[in-house]
Amino acid sequence: MSAISGLWHLDERPGAADLLDSMQDALKPFGPDRQGVWAGGTVALGSRLTLLLPEDVHDRQPLVGGGGRYVLVADLRLDNRPELVHALGIDARQAGAMADADMLLAAWERWQQHCPSRLIGNFAFALWDQAEHRLHLVRDQTGERPLFYHQSPNRIAFASMYHGLHALPDVQMAPDLGAVRAHAAFFADYRDRSYFAGIKRVMPGSHVEIDAAGTVRIERYWDLSQQRPQRRGSDAEHIEAFRDTLDRAVHDRLRAIGPIGCHLSSGYDSSAVAATAARMLAERGQRLTAYTAVPMADVPLQALPGQIIDESVIASATAAMYPNVDHILVGRDGRALGEDFEVAFQFWRQPLRNLCNRVWRTEIAQTMQARGERVLLNAIFGNLTISYNGREVLPEMVAAGQWRRLVQELRLLSRNEASVLRLLQSTFGPYVPPPVLNQIRRMTGRTSTSRGRYSPLSERAMAAILAEETEGRWEHMSDLTGQRYATRHSRIRLGLCQADIGAHNAFMLAAYGTDERDASRDMRLIELVLSLPPQMFIQNGQARWVYRQALAGRVSPQVMMPLSQKGQQSADWMYRLHRGRQAVNAVLERAQGNKVIEEMFDMPGLRLSAKAELDFSRAHLPEIRDPLRQRFLTGIANIDFLLRAGLGPTA
């Protein structure tokens, strides 16, 4: 992974390299092993490298190609190197001595603007075209590498992380209040806004082209808006395609220097990735460290019916299937909530989400750092790819008029997977107006799923952000369950927009030396899930049917639990809140009198939560859990960010 930066004086002033020095210095934590600069008077580009891939020893960025026409800096891991080598006609011996950036430059020389659509992997790059005086900024399809830019009347500047842009004297650190407000309301990322005023993000799957007049043109070279054609073939062929695609996604993320770790829970997705990686590493004579988060030691915990609050038993069963797996449990010592605020802002500069899970994610990274492991495999996006449950297939049947099959599947699913009420809600929910759906939930005694229930925003702020839906938001924003989506296409699209993970990946690398790689987010896997026929996901009353067929024998039988059995991460959250309560409540104290924060958030409600007595015996109940774990802690995280990002204690 690299950090890249650059700037272009549109008014043709020289000395761009002088300003680049400060940007490069600010980005050092994101690429400490090697740096390089290309200076062209009015334009300067820089790269900082962290050695992670075997081919990184050949990396000599910035690169110049096309007979001196192109200058490239890139943060990347190309997963389709073999296909590119073949398409570009590169000799195998030559390819062995090429860094991924060399391969990318060769691809651009061949295909120019059509190059990004030929790439598979995680990448963000900038290319300066000296002949046409154009700057190209590009990000990978699913946004796993970050890239931001700032435009002023006479200059364009870009950097992998905010730090590089804030190093410029005229780019002041000031939060984008609209973006933070959206984050606090659990809204998806909004267009190209970042969390800082004046700084835009290159959106995933996008190509930003800037000319000498400062005109910005944005092209989406990969998008889910186009319907994918359905694959044809037998069930057996589809199962084999699913298995092969998963294998390739995991295999390509094993390209690394040094030992590899992975997250392993009791769930479908991490189990599939861990088992697949273990099989492949065993063939190389290598070991895999599997990390499972467990609750604090010696604290009583309760669970709702079907909840698994200690996932180590099932995770251990999967790990035991592979002799080359070292299984490590993290979380027994009981780190407090709120310990990550300072380091998160230092290296990430975005508001934290889900403070309770942040605790064990940080502990895994710190344990890996102590063990000298750099790569962490995970499957965070797996619910929408690896173990996609096919719930949107049900409303697809309604739209297609497949009533006989629908009735049959609903009858069988109600026996195996979920209640009749929940299944009917998934089936017909997309076609029922939200107010009617919410009324039905109230009549049946179920809690609301509206963002208003979970968000710490004030009524005024919530009204303002709801009004923004008329300005171009495409997705339903009133339901957190996903039951308002009529197709898997719309559900997956929301998942990709829900959080831009690129900056988080850079943060984990800079703070803990951990390169997180999500095999479940592989674009080839996404494309496959969108193209498989519906019966591959729900068949004979079994959800996740293709998963069960493809991975039988690879993961523990205990993993193949019905939908009603679910791992409950961070079941000890209230004890960790108790340990960190002083630091957490101090955030509200620092915000006292801040007019912006007082207007944006329901501060009276948050202050009541800060003083509320903690009832540990009822921490698992939604009426206790949601106001504190969701609403209160979300408010704390966003307020802390605002205070650190420039509002200050008395703004």
Side-chain angles (χ1 to χ4, degrees), residues 453-457 602 606 626-627 629-635:
R453 171 181 170 82
Y454 297 96
S455 173
L457 294 179
D602 174 21
L606 294 178
D626 293 345
R629 180 168 175 169
Q630 301 292 344
R631 198 169 188 274
F632 174 67
L633 291 179
T634 296

Side-chain angles (χ1 to χ4, degrees), residues 11-34:
D11 58 3
E12 299 186 353
R13 283 181 295 121
D18 296 335
L19 287 173
L20 185 67
D21 287 342
S22 60
M23 299 177 72
Q24 287 282 89
D25 290 343
L27 293 172
K28 184 176 180 180
F30 304 95
D33 294 332
R34 184 183 301 149

Side-chain angles (χ1 to χ4, degrees), residues 1 75-77 122-124 139-140 143-147 502 515:
M1 182 177 279
D75 169 20
L76 79 169
R77 188 196 72 248
N122 304 154
F123 55 85
R139 277 185 76 192
D140 64 72
E144 297 198 58
R145 297 293 170 93
L147 189 56
D515 182 19

Side-chain angles (χ1 to χ4, degrees), residues 417-432:
E417 294 284 345
S419 68
V420 173
L421 180 61
R422 185 179 293 274
L423 289 168
L424 290 175
Q425 199 166 9
S426 297
T427 304
F428 299 105
Y431 307 109
V432 178

Side-chain angles (χ1 to χ4, degrees), residues 499-625:
D500 189 328
I501 68 168
H504 174 268
N505 290 344
F507 150 59
M508 294 300 288
L509 182 68
Y512 308 108
T514 303
D515 182 19
E516 293 199 354
R517 302 179 182 180
D518 188 349
S520 65
R521 205 178 179 93
D522 191 291
M523 64 166 289
R524 295 163 293 192
L525 200 54
I526 294 172
E527 295 277 4
L528 179 68
V529 168
L530 289 172
S531 67
L532 287 174
Q535 72 268 17
M536 299 309 297
F537 303 107
I538 294 180
Q539 191 169 139
N540 298 323
Q542 269 197 338
R544 302 177 175 88
W545 189 82
V546 67
Y547 177 99
R548 297 176 188 280
Q549 310 308 309
L551 296 175
R554 185 179 294 191
V555 303
S556 166
Q558 295 172 268
V559 172
M560 304 289 191
M561 64 182 105
L563 185 63
S564 57
Q565 299 290 310
K566 187 175 182 181
Q568 177 63 33
Q569 295 176 328
S570 305
D572 56 1
W573 67 272
M574 188 174 282
Y575 292 96
R576 295 182 186 275
L577 172 59
H578 173 69
R579 290 193 175 188
R581 205 166 193 188
Q582 182 175 354
V584 168
N585 289 353
V587 175
L588 293 180
E589 295 172 6
R590 300 204 322 269
Q592 184 74 33
N594 187 305
K595 293 182 180 179
V596 173
I597 292 175
E598 295 281 354
E599 291 180 1
M600 183 182 295
F601 294 91
D602 174 21
M603 296 301 286
L606 294 178
R607 291 188 178 105
L608 285 176
S609 295
K611 299 176 182 178
E613 183 177 351
L614 300 179
D615 188 346
F616 299 99
S617 65
R618 303 176 68 210
H620 61 298
L621 299 177
E623 62 268 26
I624 302 297
R625 179 191 65 213

Side-chain angles (χ1 to χ4, degrees), residues 182 186-191 451 473 475 477 494 497-499:
F186 299 95
F187 277 59
D189 292 314
Y190 191 23
R191 296 176 183 166
R451 279 171 167 73
R473 291 184 184 274
E475 68 272 45
M477 302 306 295
L494 174 67
C497 292
Q498 197 63 43

Side-chain angles (χ1 to χ4, degrees), residues 30 161-163 196 343-353 358 500 502-505 507:
F30 304 95
M161 293 292 281
Y162 300 108
H163 308 60
F196 285 94
V343 69
F345 189 81
Q346 179 183 354
F347 294 107
W348 193 4
R349 294 190 182 175
Q350 291 190 176
L352 287 165
R353 178 163 284 171
R358 173 59 48 188
D500 189 328
H504 174 268
N505 290 344
F507 150 59

